[in-house]
Amino acid sequence: GVAAFGPTGRLRTERRECAILAMPGVVLVVAGSDDADKRLASIEVAPVSAGAIGTFEETTPLPEPMTDVAATVADGELFVCGGYRDDLPT
């Protein structure tokens, strides 16, 4: 079964249209847009321990703000593709 849902670590920047990845020990939240529809380049990462998410911290951002990206981690590297920039889809 699934345990009851409850509050967890809060993002430094609340966002939507982002990619969320979980891997052993961490959660990553990539790009997206804020509540004013401004595209974001930031990437936030938080530790996960015993099912609890720790404090989110910003890490190296994308080269430019994007929404609706696809992202995955392979061999310890973050891969981001697709999405929308301010001027056109990429």
Side-chain angles (χ1 to χ4, degrees):
V2 175
F5 288 95
T8 63
R10 291 186 59 91
L11 295 170
R12 296 175 61 86
T13 303
E14 292 193 25
R15 60 188 73 213
R16 60 181 182 270
E17 302 170 320
C18 57
I20 301 170
L21 300 115
M23 49 191 256
V26 293
V27 172
L28 294 114
V29 181
V30 181
S33 62
D34 65 14
D35 59 357
D37 286 331
K38 178 182 174 196
R39 287 186 169 89
L40 303 169
S42 61
I43 298 173
E44 297 187 33
V45 60
V48 177
S49 178
I53 298 176
T55 302
F56 280 94
E57 297 292 334
E58 288 192 14
T59 188
T60 306
L62 297 174
E64 59 187 307
M66 310 265 315
T67 58
D68 298 300
V69 297
T72 192
V73 174
D75 292 331
E77 300 287 331
L78 174 63
F79 293 87
V80 180
C81 62
Y84 293 92
R85 300 185 308 218
D86 283 331
D87 56 346
L88 54 100
T90 56

